[in-house]
Amino acid sequence: MGNNNYLIPANSKKSMLILGLFNTTDLIIFISGVVISFVLMLSISANDIKTAIIILIPALVCTFLIVPLPNQHNVRTFIKNVYSYYTNNRVYYWKGWCNSYGKTESK
């Protein structure tokens, strides 16, 4: 008897990600936040802690969005899934495998 046991590694999708954690969109979000903070740093003189925090907010928010979460890709996809759950139809119709889906002819 030919018993085909295929083993798919648990981390097989991680090989498609950059550094095993990030996709291209994540890196674009992160780099854009860092660039905005850098431009603000060059254009605004931070004389107090409040101004320094305001300058760093874009980089901190973008970093927060790409932090990996267990059972999710990252915070951004978690927020997207929660939003999708609350805005889409949550009434699920299940017909089952024994229900007929059309007219059947008796023979």
Side-chain angles (χ1 to χ4, degrees), residues 85-98:
Y85 175 77
Y86 284 114
T87 57
N88 292 334
N89 185 14
R90 286 183 282 163
V91 177
Y92 304 107
Y93 299 102
W94 181 72
K95 292 183 179 181
W97 61 270
C98 60

Side-chain angles (χ1 to χ4, degrees), residues 9-24:
N11 61 354
S12 63
K13 289 196 174 193
K14 283 189 169 190
S15 65
M16 298 184 321
L17 300 174
I18 300 167
L19 299 176
L21 295 171
F22 308 108
N23 58 22
T24 308

Side-chain angles (χ1 to χ4, degrees), residues 29-84:
I29 290 171
F30 177 70
I31 290 171
S32 65
V34 170
V35 167
I36 291 170
S37 289
F38 187 71
V39 168
L40 288 174
M41 193 182 326
L42 293 177
S43 63
I44 300 173
S45 62
N47 296 331
D48 57 347
I49 191 74
K50 185 194 268 186
T51 309
I53 291 173
I54 290 172
I55 290 171
L56 291 176
I57 282 178
L60 294 175
V61 168
C62 291
T63 303
F64 171 74
L65 287 174
I66 65 165
V67 170
L69 286 179
N71 302 322
Q72 297 285 335
H73 176 67
N74 56 20
V75 175
R76 183 178 57 90
T77 57
F78 175 72
I79 292 171
K80 184 173 66 172
N81 290 338
V82 168
Y83 176 77
S84 173

